[in-house]
């Protein structure tokens, strides 16, 4: 809750509290700690023990990691082995040259769990505090910033006061939304992952393979296992029971290049589900809170480096906070403008990447990502006598509302404006595509 009254007096005070101790949150904290006068607390729900998929870092990230003070400790902690990638995307064979796959391209791979812990330890070594297994329960606006209610690992509640919040709690974080921001969500992509024994004949190359329902990835880990992930839309996962062990492994068995990388366990594990949708946060500029990482802009895992995005936005968000605490919001505005421009570029490249796969152009997963709207704003549309009641481009409740708004013929622009006023988290492109599918189009 964002406005619930908190009766307790603050037990501690910080200039900035960072919600989320992943790479975006700790990068923000390390940047803030370059200002000796600032006191920083990072709230992390976990304890840095959960398994995570290995990620890649390119040579271009070395300067950023040196700025954060973790490059040399990282090199000492774990060997940086070269990580190649092969893809079967747009064709059935494996291709060694796939420059469009930003995350899985030729680079070094690192142990994410160890990296996240290293970043948290660097925060503490730099004078910040990191509270693990801590859950933020409430955030209440005050004249001087925020009053927070936090439950710690021993299930004890405490109240913390701070001047500013950084929301680095991931793409499903509620905190910026409760402060008045909107998150525009572009799809319902879901990741379903299993950690499986690597096949004795498998190499250490990451693989990506598309299929009718989405795409697979196989990412080798430093412990000798391989993380196999199915990326598909939530609706397709439910319809085809792909989140069940039987459904997941049955689809894996149909793959040409992924199943051969791993050994099938005697007892089939349930895949771990994780949201992977694309989204852009439209911030509330009057609240002392700024988002970083996936909480600010979330990208499809196939096309971008999640680690690079997290670190860069964490640093930029922290610099914006420093300027805001000093009385200027110019850097904050510039930061949000930069996020919007970068996300627009991401959407274009994302669409081009999915357009490269035409083997299942009529399948719902691919049609959702490749169809472009052609409806002009002045076109008259109507739901009268429309035979279609559902669309893949919007949820059922939105489709029903579209049909209600179009009972009387009117220009498409008026319907879009009315629906966006009611549901600001809907992308305009999705509304237009749904209108083309649901409504009768006139002149």
């Amino acid at each position: 809750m964002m406005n619930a009254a908190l009766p307790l007096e603050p037990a501690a005070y910080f200039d900035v509290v960072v919600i989320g101790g992943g790479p975006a949150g700790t990068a923000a904290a390390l940047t803030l700690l370059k200002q000796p006068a600032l006191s920083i607390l990072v709230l992390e729900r976990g304890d840095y023990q959960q398994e995570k998929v290995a990620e890649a870092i390119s040579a271009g990230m070395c300067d950023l990691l040196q700025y954060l003070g973790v490059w040399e400790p990282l090199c000492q902690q774990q060997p940086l082995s070269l990580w190649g990638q092969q893809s079967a995307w747009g064709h059935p064979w494996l291709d060694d040259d796939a420059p469009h796959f930003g995350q899985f391209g030729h680079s070094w791979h690192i142990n994410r769990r160890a990296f996240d812990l290293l970043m948290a330890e660097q925060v503490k070594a730099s004078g910040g505090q990191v509270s693990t297994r801590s859950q933020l329960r409430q955030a209440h606006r005050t004249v001087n910033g925020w009053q927070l209610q936090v439950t710690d690992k021993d299930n004890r509640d405490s109240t913390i006061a701070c001047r500013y919040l950084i929301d680095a709690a991931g793409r499903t974080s509620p905190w910026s939304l409760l402060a008045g921001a909107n998150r525009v969500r572009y799809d319902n992509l879901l990741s379903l992952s299993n950690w499986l024994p690597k096949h004795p004949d498998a190499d250490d190359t990451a693989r990506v393979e598309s299929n009718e329902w989405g795409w697979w990835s196989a990412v080798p880990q430093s412990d000798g296992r391989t993380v196999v992930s199915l990326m598909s839309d939530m609706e397709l996962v439910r319809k085809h029971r792909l989140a069940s062990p039987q459904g997941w492994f049955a689809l894996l068995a149909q793959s040409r290049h992924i199943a051969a990388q791993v050994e099938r366990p005697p007892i089939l594990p349930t895949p771990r589900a994780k949201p992977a949708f694309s989204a852009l946060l439209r911030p509330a500029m009057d609240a002392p809170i700024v988002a970083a990482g996936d909480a600010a802009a979330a990208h499809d895992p196939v096309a971008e480096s999640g680690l690079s995005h997290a670190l860069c936005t964490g640093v930029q968000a922290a610099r914006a906070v420093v300027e805001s605490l000093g009385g200027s919001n110019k850097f904050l505005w510039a930061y949000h403008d930069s996020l919007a421009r970068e996300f627009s570029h991401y959407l274009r490249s994302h669409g081009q990447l999915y357009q490269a796969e035409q083997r299942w152009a009529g399948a719902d997963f691919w049609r959702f990502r490749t169809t472009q709207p052609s409806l002009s704003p002045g076109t008259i549309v109507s739901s009268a006598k429309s035979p279609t009641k559902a669309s893949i481009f919007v949820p059922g409740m939105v489709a029903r509302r579209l049909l209600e708004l179009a009972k009387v013929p009117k220009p498409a622009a008026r319907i879009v404006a009315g629906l966006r006023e009611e549901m600001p988290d809907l992308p305009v492109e999705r509304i237009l595509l749904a209108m083309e599918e649901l409504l009768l189009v006139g002149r």
Side-chain angles (χ1 to χ4, degrees), residues 66-398:
Q66 287 177 340
Y67 170 79
L68 295 172
V70 297
W71 174 247
E72 291 184 2
L74 176 64
C75 294
Q76 296 170 0
Q77 178 198 74
Q78 52 182 294
L80 300 180
S81 54
L82 187 64
W83 192 11
Q85 183 262 336
Q86 296 178 314
S87 67
W89 190 284
H91 46 69
W93 61 86
L94 284 174
D95 187 354
D96 290 320
D97 184 17
H100 47 283
F101 289 102
Q103 178 176 352
F104 301 115
H106 293 282
S107 52
W108 295 299
H109 73 162
I110 61 170
N111 182 314
R112 256 298 302 277
R113 180 171 58 180
F115 177 79
D116 288 3
L117 180 58
L118 173 65
M119 290 281 288
E121 290 174 342
Q122 186 67 21
V123 170
K124 291 187 283 187
S126 301
Q129 294 188 35
V130 179
S131 180
T132 58
R133 295 170 60 188
S134 295
Q135 177 71 51
L136 177 60
R137 300 294 184 185
Q138 295 181 14
H140 174 65
R141 284 288 301 276
T142 66
V143 174
N144 298 317
W146 299 95
Q147 194 169 334
L148 314 175
Q149 183 176 324
V150 178
T151 302
D152 66 15
K153 60 184 178 181
D154 298 317
N155 206 32
R156 295 175 301 192
D157 291 336
S158 61
T159 305
I160 297 169
C162 67
R163 298 167 65 191
Y164 222 101
L165 283 175
I166 293 182
D167 180 2
R171 69 186 77 206
T172 60
S173 172
W175 300 110
S176 293
L177 306 185
L178 292 171
N182 291 310
R183 179 171 289 121
V184 181
R185 181 166 167 166
Y186 286 78
D187 57 66
N188 288 319
L189 191 66
L190 188 68
S191 169
L192 298 167
S193 304
N194 269 316
W195 277 249
L196 302 174
K198 188 172 75 171
H199 193 279
D201 297 331
D203 56 25
D204 288 329
T205 301
R207 291 185 177 183
V208 175
E209 178 180 346
S210 55
N211 61 64
E212 182 177 356
W213 316 116
W215 52 274
W216 290 100
S217 71
V219 182
Q221 306 294 288
S222 58
D223 62 2
R225 295 181 296 170
T226 295
V227 180
V228 178
S229 301
L230 171 65
M231 302 290 177
S232 187
D233 286 330
M234 197 176 301
E235 296 82 2
L236 294 174
V237 169
R238 293 195 188 104
K239 181 178 179 180
H240 301 285
R241 301 178 60 83
L242 299 178
S244 68
Q246 295 76 17
W248 192 92
F249 276 93
L251 190 59
L252 176 64
Q254 299 175 26
S255 66
R256 288 172 176 259
H257 309 290
I258 302 296
Q261 294 292 94
V262 295
E263 294 183 319
R264 183 184 176 97
I267 300 176
L268 302 182
T270 299
R272 182 188 299 173
K274 183 179 180 181
F277 57 81
S278 299
L280 177 66
L281 189 77
R282 300 195 184 280
M285 299 298 290
D286 60 342
I289 181 172
V290 62
D294 287 346
H299 297 169
D300 186 321
V302 77
E304 297 288 335
S305 172
L307 189 56
S308 173
H309 171 69
L311 296 175
C312 289
T313 56
V315 170
Q316 293 166 2
R319 290 174 175 172
V321 169
V322 171
E323 293 294 322
S324 293
L325 291 175
S328 172
N329 284 328
K330 289 184 178 180
F331 201 104
L332 182 65
W333 298 332
Y335 169 61
H336 289 305
D337 287 344
S338 175
L339 282 175
R341 288 194 304 272
E342 290 173 2
F343 195 81
S344 179
H345 173 75
Y346 155 74
L347 288 177
R348 289 193 298 271
S349 61
H350 178 261
Q352 292 168 0
L353 173 58
Y354 278 96
Q355 286 282 359
E357 178 55 86
Q358 291 293 318
R359 289 175 292 171
W360 300 285
D364 285 354
F365 179 88
W366 299 94
R367 190 161 65 92
F368 182 90
R369 287 160 175 78
T370 58
T371 307
Q372 298 298 315
S374 59
L375 194 63
S376 62
T379 302
I380 302 300
V381 294
S382 170
S383 62
K385 300 181 181 179
S386 174
T388 307
K389 304 300 181 184
S391 170
I392 68 167
F393 299 108
V394 294
M397 61 173 292
V398 179

